[in-house]
Amino acid sequence: MPGERNTNNPELIKWIDEVAELCHPEKIFWCNGSVEERDLLTAEAVGKGVLTELDQSKLPGCYYHRSNPNDVARVEQCTYICTPTAAGAGPTNNWADPAIMYAKLYSLLQRGMAGRTLYVIPYLMGPPGSTMTKVGIELTDSIYVVLNMRIMTRMGQVACDQLGDSSDFNRGLHAMLDVNPERRYICHFPQDNAIISVGSAYGGNALLGKKCLALRIGSNLAQMEGWMAEHMLILGVESPSGEKTYVAAAFPSACGKTNFAMMVPSSEYKGWKVSTVGDDIAWMKPDAEGRLRAVNPEAGYFGVVPGTNRQSNPNAIISASRDTLFTNVALTPDRDVWWEGKDGPPPDECLDWKGDPWKPGFPGKAAHPNSRFTAPMVNNPMLDPAANDPAGVPISAIIFGGRRANTVPLIFEAYNWDHGVYLGATMGSETTAAATGGIGQVRRDPMAMLPFCGYDMGDYFRHWLQMRKVIEYPPRIFHVNWFRKDEKGKFLWPGFGENMRVLQWIVDRCHGRADAQETALGWMPQLKDFNIRGMENFGPEQFKKVQRIDSQEWQTEVVLQNELFIKLNATLPKELMFERELLISRL
Ligand code: GTP
Ligand code: SPV
Ligand code: MN
């Protein structure tokens, strides 16, 4: 019977009893992850108006959801790391005293699920059977969260089986309450391996396996256990000769991870094949041979919708064409979905992401800029054969990249691991719609982890430096910027499938084949080392522009970089200050 208890784990049952006692749900539903259960819950969600069925002949298994308009992105100002001391969270996180925060949350949660169902979601982060995999249990009163977690993680019986009678699982408690920004708290208690999230039902705030467990709690576990939990895509690239290379790349939210992870190489690259291991999170650990190996802890993609089309990301379009949930896009009268940047003309009329009538020419956007698709990774035609491999894949390169209209060249390579850590640590990027707040302001987002590092950022940098000592064959480290613009505000680099040209240089560097020139920033390809063959409107002059190091801009940049270092002064590793001095003297 769907919903029946499917484990006898005593610790788990005890915890659920406590939560039920506090939150007073009308009933408890234990998820087993079956298709029967999915169909039942989907029908219930449609009945309650949480989901709208899309045209099943066009989009089989696809449903539409609108979140509360006040609840459309991560909320960094409501996100807390509740370590015993404020120093544990460090100066870049919001900190709260765990006792005080628990008290506040328990009072908000009192009878907080009255009249609702409490769903028990056992899930795995990581491939079944991997030594890297962790078990989480999310308790939630949101049926939408259940259906998303089903796609995003290995959920249900498989997780109960891996857990057995162990008490080693992450306790995640999620309650929507009245979805009020005034009562919205996303709280992490690393010392208890626990998460409590209230007042939001959206994305990274509510799907607790993703940013909360896999990154904020995960980064704590990683530091203690000697591995790395990173906001990185993982992709494989195979050359025409059959040589396979895996790389991981950290770009901030809405800065191109999904697009790069699913890249279809441009026509110049016939015979080259890119394959996806993951599009958002990498867990990486050195193996017995001294290589860094990575697994994708997730099983689905929670991808940015606007701008996705057959040209920019055909495999995302295919992935999201069946068994997919669409959140906050526009809904057409024939029960199809639409968004800015979709193929074809806009619909004559539709309902926008808020449910209001919308027509072309209306001032606002039809789809929210942070509207998302939730699609199972098995839908991805270019899924890497090793995506479920418990051993993970060996990483040859780590790529950092931000969204920078100026200053930062398209591609350069770090001199060595410590210099690479410096490049990651000083990464800047323009803010995007993935988090509420201003858009387009450059801020420091070290390793794309500013919103996701669950402990002191200086100690996190130290952990990165330490990792070098346990990885015999460390990946090379690179920095990219797809987003540099010219004086007219046009992107200097075409991006998307053409990023294969940058990836080729990276891969060739990893295999000791490509030349580079020593510059103030690092190793850079010269025109002779970089393939621009067959490119339209991109010649030697454009290459020079996109790679230019402007000393004026860099004078400003090193000052801006220092703002973060000053903030982290208590724990900043001295190696990074030395790297800074070296950069200044080179400049
Ligand atoms: P999260 O899921 O929020 O962590 O983001 P992500 O890093 O996976 O972002 P995604 O790949 O969805 O990128 C979203 C935005 O980046 C969209 O606006 C894309 O159009 C834009 N983008 C991605 N790749 C490129 C590129 O190569 N060039 C340019 N100019 N824009 C790009
Ligand atoms: C991000 O913001 O980096 C995301 C989307 O990947 S969310 O799951 O909402 O955090
Ligand atoms: Mn992300």
Short mmCIF file of all heavy atoms in Angstrom, two decimals, residues 283-308:
data_model
loop_
_atom_site.label_atom_id
_atom_site.label_comp_id
_atom_site.label_asym_id
_atom_site.label_seq_id
_atom_site.Cartn_x
_atom_site.Cartn_y
_atom_site.Cartn_z
N TRP A 283 30.79 15.83 -5.61
CA TRP A 283 31.47 15.35 -4.40
C TRP A 283 32.73 14.66 -4.88
O TRP A 283 32.66 13.72 -5.69
CB TRP A 283 30.57 14.39 -3.62
CG TRP A 283 29.52 15.06 -2.80
CD1 TRP A 283 29.29 16.40 -2.66
CD2 TRP A 283 28.52 14.41 -1.98
NE1 TRP A 283 28.23 16.63 -1.81
CE2 TRP A 283 27.75 15.43 -1.38
CE3 TRP A 283 28.23 13.07 -1.70
CZ2 TRP A 283 26.68 15.15 -0.52
CZ3 TRP A 283 27.17 12.79 -0.85
CH2 TRP A 283 26.41 13.82 -0.26
N MET A 284 33.88 15.10 -4.37
CA MET A 284 35.15 14.61 -4.92
C MET A 284 36.07 14.11 -3.81
O MET A 284 36.16 14.74 -2.75
CB MET A 284 35.85 15.74 -5.69
CG MET A 284 34.98 16.33 -6.78
SD MET A 284 35.86 17.44 -7.90
CE MET A 284 36.14 18.84 -6.84
N LYS A 285 36.74 13.02 -4.10
CA LYS A 285 37.59 12.38 -3.10
C LYS A 285 38.78 11.72 -3.79
O LYS A 285 38.61 11.15 -4.87
CB LYS A 285 36.75 11.32 -2.39
CG LYS A 285 37.35 10.75 -1.15
CD LYS A 285 36.39 9.73 -0.56
CE LYS A 285 36.95 9.16 0.72
NZ LYS A 285 35.96 8.32 1.41
N PRO A 286 39.98 11.80 -3.20
CA PRO A 286 41.12 11.12 -3.82
C PRO A 286 40.93 9.60 -3.77
O PRO A 286 40.41 9.08 -2.77
CB PRO A 286 42.31 11.53 -2.94
CG PRO A 286 41.83 12.60 -2.03
CD PRO A 286 40.34 12.49 -1.95
N ASP A 287 41.34 8.92 -4.84
CA ASP A 287 41.23 7.46 -4.84
C ASP A 287 42.58 6.82 -4.50
O ASP A 287 43.56 7.52 -4.24
CB ASP A 287 40.69 6.95 -6.19
CG ASP A 287 41.65 7.22 -7.34
OD1 ASP A 287 42.81 7.58 -7.09
OD2 ASP A 287 41.23 7.05 -8.50
N ALA A 288 42.62 5.49 -4.50
CA ALA A 288 43.84 4.77 -4.09
C ALA A 288 45.00 5.05 -5.04
O ALA A 288 46.16 4.96 -4.66
CB ALA A 288 43.55 3.28 -4.03
N GLU A 289 44.69 5.40 -6.30
CA GLU A 289 45.76 5.68 -7.27
C GLU A 289 46.23 7.13 -7.21
O GLU A 289 47.06 7.55 -8.00
CB GLU A 289 45.29 5.38 -8.70
CG GLU A 289 45.25 3.90 -9.06
CD GLU A 289 43.96 3.23 -8.62
OE1 GLU A 289 42.89 3.73 -8.98
OE2 GLU A 289 44.05 2.23 -7.88
N GLY A 290 45.65 7.91 -6.29
CA GLY A 290 46.11 9.29 -6.14
C GLY A 290 45.43 10.28 -7.07
O GLY A 290 45.89 11.40 -7.26
N ARG A 291 44.30 9.85 -7.67
CA ARG A 291 43.54 10.77 -8.52
C ARG A 291 42.32 11.27 -7.76
O ARG A 291 41.78 10.57 -6.91
CB ARG A 291 43.07 10.06 -9.78
CG ARG A 291 44.15 9.96 -10.77
CD ARG A 291 43.67 9.53 -12.14
NE ARG A 291 44.86 9.47 -12.98
CZ ARG A 291 45.74 8.48 -12.91
NH1 ARG A 291 45.55 7.47 -12.11
NH2 ARG A 291 46.82 8.51 -13.65
N LEU A 292 41.87 12.47 -8.13
CA LEU A 292 40.66 13.01 -7.55
C LEU A 292 39.47 12.45 -8.33
O LEU A 292 39.41 12.60 -9.56
CB LEU A 292 40.68 14.54 -7.62
CG LEU A 292 39.58 15.27 -6.85
CD1 LEU A 292 39.69 14.99 -5.35
CD2 LEU A 292 39.65 16.77 -7.11
N ARG A 293 38.56 11.76 -7.63
CA ARG A 293 37.40 11.18 -8.33
C ARG A 293 36.14 11.89 -7.87
O ARG A 293 36.01 12.26 -6.70
CB ARG A 293 37.28 9.69 -8.04
CG ARG A 293 38.40 8.88 -8.62
CD ARG A 293 38.11 7.40 -8.50
NE ARG A 293 37.35 6.91 -9.64
CZ ARG A 293 37.92 6.43 -10.75
NH1 ARG A 293 39.22 6.36 -10.88
NH2 ARG A 293 37.17 5.99 -11.74
N ALA A 294 35.19 12.05 -8.81
CA ALA A 294 33.97 12.82 -8.52
C ALA A 294 32.71 12.01 -8.79
O ALA A 294 32.64 11.26 -9.76
CB ALA A 294 33.94 14.07 -9.38
N VAL A 295 31.74 12.16 -7.91
CA VAL A 295 30.38 11.67 -8.20
C VAL A 295 29.43 12.85 -8.18
O VAL A 295 29.67 13.86 -7.52
CB VAL A 295 29.87 10.62 -7.17
CG1 VAL A 295 30.73 9.37 -7.17
CG2 VAL A 295 29.76 11.20 -5.75
N ASN A 296 28.34 12.70 -8.93
CA ASN A 296 27.24 13.65 -8.85
C ASN A 296 26.25 13.10 -7.83
O ASN A 296 25.68 12.04 -8.05
CB ASN A 296 26.57 13.76 -10.23
CG ASN A 296 25.27 14.54 -10.18
OD1 ASN A 296 25.00 15.25 -9.21
ND2 ASN A 296 24.46 14.40 -11.23
N PRO A 297 26.05 13.79 -6.71
CA PRO A 297 25.14 13.24 -5.70
C PRO A 297 23.67 13.25 -6.14
O PRO A 297 22.84 12.57 -5.53
CB PRO A 297 25.36 14.13 -4.48
CG PRO A 297 26.00 15.38 -4.99
CD PRO A 297 26.72 15.02 -6.25
N GLU A 298 23.35 13.99 -7.20
CA GLU A 298 21.96 14.13 -7.61
C GLU A 298 21.59 13.12 -8.71
O GLU A 298 22.45 12.49 -9.30
CB GLU A 298 21.71 15.55 -8.14
CG GLU A 298 22.05 16.62 -7.11
CD GLU A 298 21.58 17.99 -7.52
OE1 GLU A 298 22.23 18.64 -8.36
OE2 GLU A 298 20.54 18.43 -7.00
N ALA A 299 20.27 13.06 -8.98
CA ALA A 299 19.78 12.16 -10.03
C ALA A 299 18.93 12.90 -11.05
O ALA A 299 18.32 12.29 -11.92
CB ALA A 299 18.97 11.03 -9.39
N GLY A 300 18.88 14.22 -10.91
CA GLY A 300 18.08 15.02 -11.84
C GLY A 300 18.66 16.41 -11.98
O GLY A 300 19.67 16.74 -11.35
N TYR A 301 18.00 17.20 -12.83
CA TYR A 301 18.45 18.57 -13.09
C TYR A 301 17.36 19.54 -12.66
O TYR A 301 16.19 19.36 -13.03
CB TYR A 301 18.75 18.78 -14.57
CG TYR A 301 19.65 17.72 -15.18
CD1 TYR A 301 19.24 16.99 -16.30
CD2 TYR A 301 20.90 17.44 -14.62
CE1 TYR A 301 20.07 16.02 -16.85
CE2 TYR A 301 21.72 16.47 -15.17
CZ TYR A 301 21.31 15.76 -16.28
OH TYR A 301 22.12 14.80 -16.83
N PHE A 302 17.73 20.52 -11.87
CA PHE A 302 16.81 21.61 -11.52
C PHE A 302 17.36 22.83 -12.27
O PHE A 302 18.11 23.62 -11.73
CB PHE A 302 16.79 21.81 -10.00
CG PHE A 302 15.77 22.80 -9.51
CD1 PHE A 302 14.41 22.59 -9.70
CD2 PHE A 302 16.17 23.95 -8.84
CE1 PHE A 302 13.47 23.51 -9.24
CE2 PHE A 302 15.23 24.87 -8.37
CZ PHE A 302 13.87 24.64 -8.57
N GLY A 303 16.98 22.92 -13.54
CA GLY A 303 17.69 23.84 -14.44
C GLY A 303 16.93 25.13 -14.71
O GLY A 303 15.70 25.16 -14.73
N VAL A 304 17.70 26.19 -14.97
CA VAL A 304 17.13 27.49 -15.37
C VAL A 304 16.44 27.31 -16.72
O VAL A 304 17.03 26.79 -17.66
CB VAL A 304 18.25 28.55 -15.51
CG1 VAL A 304 17.70 29.86 -16.06
CG2 VAL A 304 18.98 28.77 -14.19
N VAL A 305 15.18 27.76 -16.84
CA VAL A 305 14.45 27.60 -18.10
C VAL A 305 14.70 28.73 -19.10
O VAL A 305 15.01 28.45 -20.26
CB VAL A 305 12.93 27.43 -17.84
CG1 VAL A 305 12.18 27.37 -19.17
CG2 VAL A 305 12.65 26.20 -17.01
N PRO A 306 14.55 30.02 -18.72
CA PRO A 306 14.64 31.06 -19.75
C PRO A 306 15.96 30.98 -20.53
O PRO A 306 17.01 30.72 -19.95
CB PRO A 306 14.55 32.37 -18.94
CG PRO A 306 13.80 31.99 -17.71
CD PRO A 306 14.25 30.59 -17.40
N GLY A 307 15.85 31.18 -21.83
CA GLY A 307 17.03 31.11 -22.68
C GLY A 307 17.34 29.71 -23.17
O GLY A 307 18.22 29.54 -24.01
N THR A 308 16.63 28.70 -22.66
CA THR A 308 16.90 27.33 -23.10
C THR A 308 16.13 27.07 -24.39
O THR A 308 14.90 27.23 -24.43
CB THR A 308 16.47 26.32 -22.01
OG1 THR A 308 17.11 26.66 -20.79
CG2 THR A 308 16.85 24.90 -22.41
#
